[in-house]
């Protein structure tokens, strides 16, 4: 290849980096609009991939009609920059429209889902259509004729995927922590702008050279002149003949299964890791590395591939084998340990499970392009159709797998079904697509058939395809009472060493501790006249149950539907509590409910899922969330925010600082169970009095409930009256003195979730403990 070719690949690598930056940032920003439910995330991805598919189709048709496709590509990137810079305004408008519709349609989730889908398309379509048009446009430029489509497509696909790796890693590991979501979006826009500018300069230089040579454009060349100065690529020899319909079908299956695997691997491999955003970044990066390596291998092997169908049939069987082996040998045999210990083993597991299969996927998709070059002058159209078909498969994969396949059979069996799909596709290609060579055909069919039998037996028997969350509990000598999986997470109720626990995605969420039982009771002691309460995050149901027992009209919002089904394993009166007219459980995103509901509450209790660095935890721990909570409180109402241990003193200061920025009056108490802190805030002065504490504890059932916890340090009213003042750690001016100056946790800067650079290169702030807080000048009483 010439220097010009390398330059084109380099700018398309920049384009790929920008694309992943946009996807990561926009997905997070739109989650804040629509909520963090699987339905909302699927809507966002559908809008993103849908726009890409439309852009691929339209871009291919347009690129075949222009004389200077490189200039068209440059213009696409430059216009994309303008649209990207306008997305913050677009998203704010979308948010206001959604807010207006939410109140009317909250009781009609199907209609609300359609509104969400339409708004996501409206928000993302202008940018994603342009992004989708770039690959067929550059394919048209690099492929001088239909005979070179496959090589050009493979090279561009590899370069774009390499860029995507860099974009995903940069955004997830560095940029969001350093400059926030908005700053990261600007970096992506700079990449698009640079790619577009270089393309326009290259096109202009070539146009001027053509004018000096006196060469007239023909409309069918990749540049504007017929004289080709670069060395010609070797001709692509394909004996299978053009099979565009087969190519599009394979591209569709490739998109469906690859995105399906990504969804499932992310869920299964993240089990027990706390669902950190770095886990997602790791899996996504390795996934893209595999695709890039596979595409690179294809470009190197392309001159030797005479029978693409033979390669495609074998590739489908190999993908199936790798997926099944990874599930049985690695995913279903999880290692135990704490979060930081798990990251090392998780990295190895991700490489072993994801990399081999995705390398074959990365080879097979561009290999399908060798079957579409059947008509001179329609190179870009064919490339666009191929990409559109692949993207359509990806859309269906991201929709069908979480909404239908996982709830129906569970994630491990869903992997088995996708592997069976790959094996069946390989057999069908070998049998029905006339794979040349009787030996290769027989070998492919035999391997695919044997693998299919093993998969069917495993699916029916169920012994090999184990949920890693269940396997981990059993490995820890625990007992599983019940296990369910819905479109959002895998959930288990059980016990370890006799202590009942609730696990979500393999992470223990909470225990039957006194800390959880006190969450609504402490605010009620500050405002005994309270009538209504909201609890965000249901967990074991301790806070919701305590609020209902205390006589409050209580709404509880829970993101994971299966969590609610476990309530009865922790409290024998669960059915009665749920049937109590004072209680109302809502399956929804807590942040979305707080922002969009028109209800007002006297008390709002928030218990973010552990660990403190979990992905999405900042959505219900940010400045904007506290402001939304304040807007939902009645005058004098109290918001309680639980902050668990497991962070540094400086990180804890950021939580306190952010909370205090919204609430004028703040009390911070340490949990008597020793698991964290209660931050209590109001717009009016708050403080405990013996009379009000006694009145609340004297309510029927309250004392018995808070004293029934296995770790309760008090049993009588007098003991509680003595204990609670000693739990108060800091108040009034002490809160401001401890918080100090520094960054706030915001939607744009989700500090708890992005900590890698801070922990590696920041100051040596100690972990929160009684000793470290005393050393900072704020000892416990």
């Amino acid at each position: 290849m010439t220097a010009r070719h390398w330059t084109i690949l380099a700018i398309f690598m920049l384009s790929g980096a920008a694309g992943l930056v946009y996807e990561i940032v926009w997905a997070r920003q739109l989650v804040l609009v629509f909520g963090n439910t699987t339905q909302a995330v699927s809507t966002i991805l559908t809008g993103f991939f849908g726009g890409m598919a439309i852009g691929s189709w339209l871009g291919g048709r347009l690129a075949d009609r222009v004389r200077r496709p490189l200039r068209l590509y440059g213009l696409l990137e430059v216009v994309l920059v303008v649209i990207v810079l306008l997305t913050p305004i677009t998203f704010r408008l979308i948010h206001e429209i959604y807010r207006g519709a939410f109140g009317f349609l909250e009781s009609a989730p199907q209609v609300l889902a359609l509104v969400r889908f339409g708004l996501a398309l409206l928000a993302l379509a202008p940018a994603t259509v342009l992004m989708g048009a770039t690959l067929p446009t550059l394919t048209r430029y690099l492929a001088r004729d239909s005979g070179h489509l496959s090589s050009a497509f493979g090279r561009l696909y590899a370069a774009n995927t390499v860029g995507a790796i860099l974009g995903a890693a940069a955004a997830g590991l560095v940029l969001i922590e350093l400059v926030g979501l908005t700053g990261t979006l600007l970096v992506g826009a700079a990449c698009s702008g640079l790619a577009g500018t270089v393309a326009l300069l290259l096109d202009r230089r070539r146009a001027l050279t053509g004018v000096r040579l006196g060469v007239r454009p023909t409309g069918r060349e990749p540049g504007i002149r017929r004289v080709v100065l670069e060395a010609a690529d070797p001709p692509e020899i394909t004996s299978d003949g053009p099979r565009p319909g087969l190519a599009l079908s394979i591209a569709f299956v490739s998109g469906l299964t690859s995105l399906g695997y990504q969804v499932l691997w992310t869920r299964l491999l993240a089990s027990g890791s706390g669902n950190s955003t770095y886990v997602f970044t790791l899996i996504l990066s390795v996934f893209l590395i595999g695709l890039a390596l596979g595409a690179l291998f294809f470009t190197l092997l392309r001159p030797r591939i005479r029978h693409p169908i033979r390669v495609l049939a074998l590739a489908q069987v190999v993908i199936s084998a790798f997926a099944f082996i990874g599930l049985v040998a690695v995913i279903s045999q999880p290692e135990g340990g704490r979060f930081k210990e798990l990251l090392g083993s998780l990295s190895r597991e991700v490489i072993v499970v994801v990399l081999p299969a995705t390398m074959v996927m990365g080879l097979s998709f561009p290999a399908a392009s060798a079957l579409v070059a059947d008509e001179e002058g329609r190179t870009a159209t064919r490339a666009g159709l191929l990409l559109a078909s692949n993207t359509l498969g990806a859309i269906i994969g991201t929709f069908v797998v979480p909404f239908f396949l996982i709830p129906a059979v569970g994630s491990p069996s869903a992997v088995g079904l996708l592997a069976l799909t790959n094996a069946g596709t390989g057999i069908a290609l070998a049998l029905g697509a006339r794979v040349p060579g009787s030996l290769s055909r027989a070998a492919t069919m035999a391997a695919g058939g044997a693998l299919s039998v093993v998969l069917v037996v495993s699916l029916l028997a169920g012994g090999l395809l184990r949920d890693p969350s269940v396997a981990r509990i059993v490995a820890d000598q625990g007992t599983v009472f019940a296990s369910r999986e819905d479109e959002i997470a895998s959930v288990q109720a059980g016990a370890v060493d006799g202590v009942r626990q609730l696990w979500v995605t393999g992470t223990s969420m909470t225990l039957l501790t006194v800390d959880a039982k006190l969450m609504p009771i402490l605010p009620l002691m500050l405002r005994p006249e309270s009538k209504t309460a909201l609890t965000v995050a249901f967990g074991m149901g301790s806070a919701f149950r305590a609020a209902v027992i205390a006589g409050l009209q209580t709404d509880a919002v829970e993101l994971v539907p299966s969590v609610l089904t476990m309530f009865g394993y922790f409290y024998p009166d669960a059915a009665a509590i749920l049937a109590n007219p004072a209680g109302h459980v809502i399956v929804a995103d807590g942040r979305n409910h707080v922002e969009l509901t028109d209800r007002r509450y006297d008390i709002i209790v928030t218990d973010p899922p552990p660990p403190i660095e979990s992905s999405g935890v900042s959505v219900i721990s940010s400045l904007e969330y506290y402001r939304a909570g304040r807007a939902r409180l009645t005058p004098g109402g109290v918001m309680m925010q639980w902050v668990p241990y497991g962070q540094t003193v400086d990180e804890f200061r950021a939580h306190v600082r952010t909370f205090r920025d919204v609430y004028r009056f703040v009390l911070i108490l340490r949990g008597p169970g020793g698991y964290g802190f209660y931050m209590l805030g109001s717009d009016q002065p708050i403080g405990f009095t013996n009379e009000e504490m006694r009145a609340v504890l004297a309510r029927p059932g309250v004392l018995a409930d808070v004293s029934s916890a296995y770790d309760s340090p008090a049993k009588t009213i007098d003991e509680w009256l003595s204990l609670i003042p000693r739990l108060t750690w800091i108040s009034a001016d002490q809160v401001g003195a401890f918080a100090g100056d520094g960054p706030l946790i915001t939607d744009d800067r989700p500090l708890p979730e992005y900590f890698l650079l801070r922990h590696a290169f920041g100051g040596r702030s100690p972990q929160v403990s009684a000793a470290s807080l005393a050393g900072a000048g704020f000892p416990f009483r």
Side-chain angles (χ1 to χ4, degrees):
M1 293 194 300
T2 66
R4 177 180 291 272
H5 283 88
W6 284 112
T7 303
I8 296 299
L9 295 179
I11 64 175
F12 204 48
M13 186 170 67
L14 274 179
S15 180
L20 259 292
V21 167
Y22 298 150
E23 182 180 350
I24 290 172
V25 172
W26 288 340
R28 179 58 178 252
Q29 290 176 332
L30 283 178
V31 156
L32 296 172
V33 176
F34 298 136
N36 199 30
T37 63
T38 298
Q39 293 92 333
V41 173
S42 179
T43 295
I44 294 164
L45 290 176
T46 299
F48 191 92
F49 288 128
M52 293 279 289
I54 294 170
S56 301
W57 179 69
L58 292 176
R61 295 173 67 86
L62 178 62
D64 277 331
R65 288 169 169 76
V66 299
R67 293 187 299 175
R68 295 164 63 179
L70 185 58
R71 181 174 64 173
L72 174 61
Y73 167 78
L75 292 174
L76 289 173
E77 293 283 9
V78 171
V79 174
L80 176 61
V81 171
V82 177
I83 293 175
V84 167
L85 296 179
L86 293 175
T87 52
I89 299 174
T90 305
F91 287 1
R92 280 197 294 270
L93 293 174
I94 293 297
H95 185 267
E96 292 307 313
I97 296 172
Y98 188 64
R99 180 193 297 273
F102 186 84
F104 296 102
L105 300 175
E106 186 177 12
S107 59
Q110 292 81 8
V111 179
L112 190 64
L114 290 176
V115 171
R116 198 159 44 209
F117 178 71
L119 291 176
L121 283 178
L122 184 64
L124 297 174
T128 53
V129 167
L130 294 174
M131 292 165 62
T134 56
L135 177 57
T137 301
L138 278 188
T139 301
R140 165 77 171 85
Y141 176 76
L142 285 186
R144 294 192 305 277
D145 51 50
S146 61
H148 290 83
L149 184 150
S150 185
S151 291
F153 188 90
R155 290 170 183 168
L156 290 170
Y157 180 72
N160 196 250
T161 308
V162 170
I165 298 166
L166 298 176
L173 302 179
V174 179
L175 292 175
I176 294 177
E177 182 178 355
L178 287 181
V179 299
L181 294 172
T182 300
T184 302
L185 193 68
L186 293 176
V187 171
C191 291
S192 292
L194 180 60
T197 302
V198 171
L200 291 173
L201 291 174
L202 286 174
D203 176 80
R204 178 174 176 78
R205 178 181 178 185
R206 186 162 188 173
L208 292 174
T209 303
V211 170
R212 287 196 298 270
L213 292 174
V215 179
R216 298 184 62 183
T218 68
R220 297 183 63 181
E221 300 297 325
I224 73 160
R225 55 201 177 109
R226 207 166 182 81
V227 176
V228 180
L229 301 180
E230 298 93 65
D233 289 330
E236 296 177 357
I237 303 173
T238 299
S239 300
D240 292 338
R243 305 286 293 277
L246 180 62
L248 296 178
S249 299
I250 294 171
F252 175 83
V253 171
S254 177
L256 187 153
T257 56
S258 63
L259 263 292
Y261 283 130
Q262 184 180 350
V263 170
L264 293 165
W265 285 335
T266 299
R267 177 174 294 197
L268 292 168
L269 288 167
S271 176
S273 69
N275 202 30
S276 165
T277 185
Y278 293 118
V279 173
F280 171 76
T281 300
L282 172 64
I283 294 172
L284 177 60
S285 297
V286 173
F287 190 92
L288 293 171
I289 288 171
L291 295 181
L293 288 175
L296 178 61
F297 289 155
F298 172 76
T299 60
L300 296 176
L301 297 173
R302 178 64 189 98
R304 302 179 181 179
I305 298 177
R306 297 178 57 86
H307 302 292
I309 296 178
R310 181 187 299 174
V311 173
L312 291 168
L314 182 60
Q316 291 294 312
V317 174
V318 173
I319 291 170
S320 176
F322 280 144
F324 178 68
I325 293 170
L327 176 62
V328 173
V330 180
I331 294 177
S332 295
Q333 310 294 329
E335 296 186 31
R338 297 181 180 272
F339 171 70
K340 292 182 180 179
E341 297 169 353
L342 278 172
L343 283 180
S345 61
L346 178 63
S347 300
R348 295 190 296 271
E349 290 175 3
V350 169
I351 292 173
V352 171
V353 172
V354 177
L355 191 61
T358 52
M359 285 176 60
V360 185
M361 294 177 194
L363 183 148
S364 62
F365 174 49
S369 65
L371 301 175
V372 302
D374 65 338
E375 187 173 344
E376 186 69 31
R378 299 193 66 192
T379 302
T381 300
R382 295 300 183 188
L385 283 173
L386 191 72
L387 184 58
S389 181
N390 181 260
T391 308
L392 181 60
I395 293 171
I396 294 176
T398 57
F399 179 78
V400 170
V401 170
F403 285 117
F404 298 98
L405 203 55
I406 290 176
V409 301
S411 293
S413 293
V415 173
L417 289 173
L418 287 183
L420 191 60
T421 300
N422 289 129
T425 302
I427 294 171
L429 285 172
L431 182 63
R434 301 185 300 279
V435 174
S438 58
L439 182 61
S440 64
R441 180 189 306 170
T444 302
M445 291 179 61
L451 189 56
S452 298
V453 171
V454 172
L455 284 166
V456 170
V457 172
S458 299
L459 288 166
L460 294 176
L464 290 175
L465 309 181
R466 298 195 303 165
D467 188 311
S469 300
V470 175
R472 183 174 286 107
I473 296 169
V474 173
D476 291 338
Q477 308 301 313
T479 301
V480 178
F481 303 149
S483 178
R484 289 184 175 85
E485 188 172 11
D486 54 44
E487 66 271 17
I488 295 179
S490 171
V491 179
Q492 290 77 36
V496 176
D497 295 328
V499 178
R500 292 179 180 252
Q501 297 188 38
L502 173 72
W503 292 270
V504 178
T505 62
T507 300
S508 180
M509 289 288 104
T510 183
L511 305 174
L512 292 172
T513 174
V514 66
D515 288 353
K517 292 177 178 290
L518 282 175
M519 287 180 181
I521 303 303
L522 293 174
L524 184 59
M525 289 176 172
L526 298 173
R527 293 287 185 266
E529 69 277 11
S530 298
K531 303 297 182 185
T532 59
L534 169 68
T535 65
V536 176
F538 188 85
M540 284 180 163
S542 297
F544 171 72
R545 179 175 176 272
V548 172
I549 289 174
L552 295 170
Q553 291 286 332
T554 307
D555 287 343
V557 183
E558 171 56 47
L559 181 65
V560 184
S562 293
V563 165
L564 304 176
T565 67
M566 303 299 173
F567 191 19
Y569 292 99
F570 308 116
Y571 292 102
D573 61 349
I577 294 293
L578 292 174
N580 192 317
H584 180 216
V585 180
I586 305 164
V587 178
D589 174 73
R591 166 67 177 269
N592 225 220
H593 178 81
V594 171
E595 283 199 330
L596 302 179
T597 185
D598 57 0
R599 301 170 191 170
R600 303 277 289 222
Y601 302 97
D602 298 316
I603 295 170
I604 296 178
V605 171
T606 309
D607 181 13
I612 193 66
E613 61 272 337
S614 292
S615 178
V617 73
S618 299
V619 170
I620 52 174
S621 305
S622 68
L623 181 73
E624 292 83 358
Y625 174 69
Y626 296 147
R627 287 173 176 170
R630 184 182 61 187
R632 297 277 71 78
L633 285 173
T634 57
V638 179
M639 185 169 196
M640 193 294 297
Q641 183 78 16
W642 176 253
V643 183
Y645 284 101
Q647 58 188 311
T648 67
V649 172
D650 285 346
E651 290 166 341
F652 184 33
R653 290 183 196 271
H655 279 280
V656 175
R657 187 183 305 126
T658 305
F659 192 76
R660 183 179 177 273
D661 192 81
V662 176
Y663 293 99
R664 181 181 177 187
F665 301 97
V666 176
L667 285 175
I668 300 182
L669 284 72
R670 59 186 175 88
Y675 292 98
F677 297 85
Y678 307 96
M679 295 195 300
L680 299 157
S682 179
D683 61 355
Q684 296 180 15
I686 50 177
F688 294 104
T689 69
N690 281 350
E691 180 182 358
E692 291 174 332
M693 287 190 292
R694 184 179 295 275
V696 171
L697 290 169
R699 295 187 182 192
V702 171
L703 177 63
D705 181 46
V706 298
S707 301
S708 66
Y710 71 92
D711 58 349
S712 177
K715 301 298 181 182
T716 68
I717 290 180
D718 289 336
E719 288 175 343
W720 281 111
L721 295 183
S722 173
L723 175 64
I724 291 174
R726 289 186 281 113
L727 294 177
T728 301
W729 173 50
I730 54 177
S731 61
D733 293 340
Q734 292 177 307
V735 177
F738 173 76
D741 297 324
L744 302 178
I745 299 169
T746 65
D747 290 342
D748 193 64
R749 302 293 297 272
L751 299 177
E753 300 173 52
Y754 295 90
F755 54 84
L756 188 65
L757 300 179
R758 189 167 65 246
H759 286 189
F761 306 108
R764 296 289 182 178
S765 179
Q767 289 287 304
V768 171
S769 65
S772 63
L773 293 175
F778 298 89
F780 293 158
R781 295 185 184 182

